[in-house]
Amino acid sequence: MLTGVVVWGHAIAALLFGALAFWSARHGPADGALPRRWLSVALALTALWALAVAGVANDHPATHLLAGLRTLGWLVLLFAIQQRTDQAGPEALGRTMAYGAIAVVDVAQVLLESLATTADNPAVAAVIGNVATVLGMLAALGALLLLHGLFRATTSAATRLVLVTMGAFWLIDVNSAIASYLFGGAPEELIAARGAAVAGMALLVGLALSRPGDGGVQFSRTATFHTLSLLGLVVYFAITIMATSLIEALGGEHARVAQTAFVFGSTVAVLTAASSGWLRAWIKVKLVKHLFQHRYDYRAEWTRFTETLGEPKGGAPLDERLVKAVGDLIDAPAGLLLVADGDTLALQASWCWDAQTLPDDDGGSARLASYLRTTGRILELDSIRSSPDDPDRAAVPDGLLAHPEAWVVVPLPHLGRLTGAILLARPILARSLDWEDFDLLRIAGRQVASYLAEERAQSALSEARRFEEFNRRFAFILHDVKNIVSQLSLVARNAPRHADNPEFRADMVATLNESATRMNDLLARLSEREVPRMEAPRAVALATIAAQSAARFRARGAVVVEGARDLHAAADPARLQQVLDHLVLNALDAGGHDPVRVLLGQAADRVWLDVIDTGQGMTQQFVRDDLFRAFVSSKPTGFGIGAFEARQLAHAMGGTIEVESHPGRGTRFRVTLAAATPTLEQAA
């Protein structure tokens, strides 16, 4: 089975590299920094070598010859790329000599391998073969060193892809040489894996040929880390296989015990290392530093940042989410939110940090707040601790510098003001911040400050709305209190003349009881914390509501109820009674020689109540512009609330209020509501 994998893997690689060589020779790479001629030669030699492995054998002399020529072709391509980036000088001359030395070693390896195949003495052939293997390993290691120096100086994405392919080839050569030296030949498993890897590298070269020099290649960091983790596992298993094979060859009768001990010990060591948070953080930092142009994947970081702020997981309050969002950017495990409190900074929230461990403020928070407000600088406390002469040291409280976990202070500026600061704890792998960290933290600080300012604005708005609701409710209640006071004043004025009349006394007691009840209701409405909810609309008898209003104000004047007595409206009875009371009282206050009429009627699926008076009336301009405005009244002692509240209540019940008025002739208010069918109990 492995033989088939070896053949097919190298055959596919030969086909791919041959196609790439033809494409490069015919069209050339899209990136002008890649030498077209030498790239085509290197690709063609690689295709021939892979074809020889698949068609002849890995140990055939022709295959060894093509392997040496392949290495030489890639080395010449690396030198051509180096020449395009180098400037004349002693360093350039030294590198040229290094290339020449590696080329000589590679040629010597090819010659020795050819000599080994022609030697008559097997022992001499084995010695020559081992020397050739070591020379091949040295040539590959030297080429890797030269590639490393060139890779850091190369900015072209396509050229970097080709350099990665070269490095992969030479890494494979080093591993194959080590295995051949130890075991007398490369294991077939390693050769099979090499075929698949070489075919994969052809895809990298194809990507390089299709990209221009300024067309950057964005590698997914997650995919890169997972791929490298998988490669690490492959390397671990390869080393384990090679080590167990070596133990089997050298261990004698105790080989099985030694193999078991090695596998168990190496597995425990790998699992222990993988569980180390410090080691994982160190590997991540090194990979990001050497594989990516920037430390952060800004799209991923910003997505995570906004999700932490806007979509809380676990129901954490906003203050904690603000700290966590900033801390996650630089892997800080904990943090504190300090908010501006006058001229100082006060602790408001903590995330995974016991705030009690911080020393008491000795007045230093005022200096820190003033400094952050003036400069807006991000303070890295480790550098301040290590530099007694640092100009930032005077602004940082001594207790904060003495705390071992305090690491970074991030100011939160918003519209020229300091809204607070975030103190972050030191991560598992402490490091110095660079310009990317400062820029990212500065942007995140502004965003967090805007969230904090918005939250404060929402809180202030909510409080203002509560005051507004209280004031509105108080204005309505004050209007009702004025009506009650008017009734009680009327009773008090008539009491000296009619105190001996039993009917007057009964009416006075009823008026006092009703006034007391209404006053208690008003106090209850005023003490409600939330906006009062209206009852669900139900069938309300209009005649009953009109009769109660007429009875309530009979001491003020005559009120006559006319119209059909069996009409029902879909309304809240208490609110409808309040609307009609407002309109009837306004009609009585308007004067007029005739009684106030309450007329009930129906039109299709709507019912209406008309309140008609023959008083002084109102102009059309007043009705249109001022009648339903709060705090505008035509009466000297009026509050301007009655008509406004009546229309608000009518609209809340799905109704309307229409007005028809003529100066000197009177006014008609019409309240229109949806008709309703009474229940059986109401009909009875």
Side-chain angles (χ1 to χ4, degrees):
M1 178 179 178
L2 285 178
T3 302
V5 175
V6 171
V7 171
W8 280 104
H10 286 84
I12 293 174
L15 178 63
L16 293 175
F17 274 98
L20 291 174
F22 177 77
W23 174 270
S24 177
R26 185 177 181 86
H27 301 284
D31 184 4
L34 289 171
R36 176 178 178 177
R37 178 186 307 172
W38 294 116
L39 178 60
S40 301
V41 170
L43 293 175
L45 290 174
T46 303
L48 293 174
W49 163 79
L51 186 61
V53 174
V56 184
N58 186 65
D59 295 330
H60 195 275
T63 305
H64 288 302
L65 176 62
L66 289 173
L69 294 177
R70 182 209 66 195
T71 300
L72 191 61
W74 286 111
L75 185 65
V76 171
L77 176 61
L78 183 66
F79 178 73
I81 296 175
Q82 182 82 58
Q83 289 296 102
R84 295 194 176 193
T85 58
D86 260 351
Q87 296 180 355
E91 293 183 359
L93 179 61
R95 276 191 290 269
T96 301
M97 295 177 63
Y99 278 101
I102 295 174
V104 170
V105 172
D106 183 65
V107 172
Q109 177 213 359
V110 173
L111 294 176
L112 287 176
E113 286 181 342
S114 300
L115 183 62
T117 58
T118 60
D120 296 331
N121 190 334
V124 174
V127 172
I128 295 175
N130 288 337
V131 173
T133 300
V134 172
L135 289 179
M137 181 177 62
L138 291 177
L141 289 174
L144 284 173
L145 291 175
L146 293 174
L147 184 147
H148 180 266
L150 179 59
F151 189 87
R152 298 176 65 89
T154 302
T155 59
S156 168
T159 304
R160 284 194 166 197
L161 287 176
V162 174
L163 294 180
V164 168
T165 304
M166 294 184 194
F169 268 118
W170 288 322
L171 281 175
I172 292 174
D173 288 345
V174 170
N175 290 327
S176 299
I178 292 174
S180 298
Y181 185 82
L182 293 176
F183 306 120
E188 194 172 5
E189 296 86 352
L190 184 60
I191 298 174
R194 183 185 64 186
V198 172
M201 287 187 288
L203 301 178
L204 287 180
V205 177
L207 182 61
L209 292 178
S210 64
R211 299 194 69 84
D214 56 351
V217 179
Q218 297 296 329
F219 294 101
S220 168
R221 295 174 184 240
T222 303
T224 301
F225 294 149
H226 290 173
T227 302
L228 291 177
S229 300
L230 181 60
L231 290 177
L233 288 176
V234 172
V235 170
Y236 163 71
F237 285 122
I239 293 175
T240 303
I241 293 173
M242 295 171 58
T244 53
S245 300
L246 181 62
I247 292 173
E248 183 179 5
L250 303 177
E253 61 181 7
H254 301 293
R256 180 60 60 88
V257 176
Q259 286 176 328
T260 303
F262 175 79
V263 172
F264 180 78
S266 62
T267 303
V268 171
V270 170
L271 292 177
T272 303
S275 62
S276 171
W278 181 90
L279 182 61
R280 292 200 305 270
W282 182 84
I283 293 175
K284 180 180 178 182
V285 169
K286 294 302 179 182
L287 291 178
V288 169
K289 180 179 179 181
H290 293 286
L291 294 183
F292 298 98
Q293 183 177 2
H294 298 289
R295 179 186 297 276
Y296 297 102
D297 182 352
Y298 291 102
R299 182 190 63 82
E301 295 294 343
W302 194 251
T303 299
R304 182 177 63 172
F305 179 81
T306 54
E307 285 181 351
T308 302
L309 293 180
E311 299 179 7
K313 297 181 180 179
L318 177 62
D319 293 341
E320 292 185 20
R321 300 201 311 272
L322 295 176
V323 183
K324 183 180 185 303
V326 177
D328 287 344
L329 294 176
I330 55 175
D331 297 325
L336 300 175
L337 174 62
L338 310 174
V339 297
D341 183 14
D343 295 332
T344 63
L345 293 173
L347 176 65
Q348 178 159 317
S350 64
W351 168 61
C352 300
W353 196 336
D354 183 9
Q356 301 298 326
T357 60
L358 287 178
D360 294 335
D361 184 20
D362 56 355
S365 64
R367 300 195 309 271
L368 179 61
S370 176
Y371 187 79
L372 295 178
R373 187 182 301 110
T374 303
T375 64
R377 295 188 59 183
I378 297 172
L379 302 179
E380 186 179 2
L381 301 183
D382 286 345
S383 63
I384 296 177
R385 294 187 184 99
S386 61
S387 303
D389 298 332
D390 194 301
D392 298 333
R393 187 180 185 89
V396 182
D398 294 335
L400 195 59
L401 290 175
H403 196 285
E405 297 301 322
W407 183 37
V408 178
V409 179
V410 182
L412 307 178
H414 181 68
L415 299 179
R417 295 180 299 174
L418 182 69
T419 61
I422 290 179
L423 173 64
L424 297 176
R426 181 179 290 101
I428 297 176
L429 181 65
R431 61 180 178 84
S432 298
L433 300 182
D434 57 18
W435 65 269
E436 282 194 78
D437 298 309
F438 286 116
D439 285 348
L440 186 61
L441 289 176
R442 188 174 295 108
I443 295 173
R446 293 195 184 102
Q447 187 70 13
V448 167
S450 67
Y451 269 83
L452 194 60
E454 181 181 0
E455 191 270 339
R456 288 182 176 179
Q458 289 290 342
S459 178
L461 180 60
S462 177
E463 183 178 357
R465 285 176 175 173
R466 287 196 296 268
F467 273 106
E468 180 184 0
E469 171 60 24
F470 182 85
N471 292 335
R472 187 184 67 85
R473 198 181 306 169
F474 185 81
F476 290 163
I477 289 174
L478 188 62
H479 181 270
D480 293 341
V481 168
K482 187 202 74 164
N483 296 337
I484 295 173
V485 170
S486 299
Q487 285 185 282
L488 294 178
S489 299
L490 183 61
V491 171
R493 286 198 303 269
N494 292 331
R497 290 181 294 172
H498 305 288
D500 296 335
N501 187 342
E503 294 182 0
F504 176 80
R505 289 199 299 270
D507 186 67
M508 180 177 65
V509 171
T511 301
L512 292 175
N513 288 333
E514 181 184 1
S515 299
T517 301
R518 293 178 65 187
M519 288 291 292
N520 289 328
D521 292 342
L522 295 177
L523 291 175
R525 286 170 54 193
L526 188 61
S527 63
E528 291 175 350
R529 290 186 176 270
E530 302 295 335
V531 178
R533 296 182 179 179
M534 299 183 61
E535 295 184 13
R538 57 189 178 89
V540 179
L542 298 184
T544 303
I545 298 295
Q548 290 176 354
S549 290
R552 179 171 292 126
F553 297 109
R554 63 177 175 269
R556 297 287 302 271
V559 180
V560 178
V561 180
E562 302 175 357
R565 300 286 175 159
D566 58 348
L567 300 179
H568 290 76
D572 177 353
R575 302 308 183 206
L576 181 57
Q577 185 72 66
Q578 193 174 354
V579 170
L580 189 58
D581 286 351
H582 281 313
L583 299 181
V584 169
L585 183 59
N586 285 343
L588 292 172
D589 289 341
H593 301 290
D594 299 328
V596 173
R597 299 167 57 206
V598 179
L599 183 61
L600 312 178
Q602 182 174 5
D605 60 345
R606 310 287 286 181
V607 294
W608 43 264
L609 305 91
D610 283 354
V611 179
I612 306 170
D613 68 73
T614 57
Q616 59 186 359
M618 299 172 287
T619 64
Q620 292 300 317
Q621 184 271 335
F622 182 85
V623 172
R624 183 182 64 252
D625 299 334
D626 298 326
L627 176 60
F628 294 108
R629 288 178 56 193
F631 311 113
V632 177
S633 177
S634 60
K635 294 177 287 186
T637 60
F639 288 98
I641 295 296
F644 172 78
E645 184 181 16
R647 189 168 70 166
Q648 294 285 329
L649 296 174
H651 285 175
M653 293 183 291
T656 61
I657 293 183
E658 300 173 356
V659 183
E660 180 184 351
S661 184
H662 301 279
R665 295 169 51 187
T667 302
R668 176 197 296 267
F669 281 88
R670 170 165 290 188
V671 181
T672 304
L673 298 166
T677 302
T679 62
L680 295 176
E681 293 80 1
Q682 290 175 320

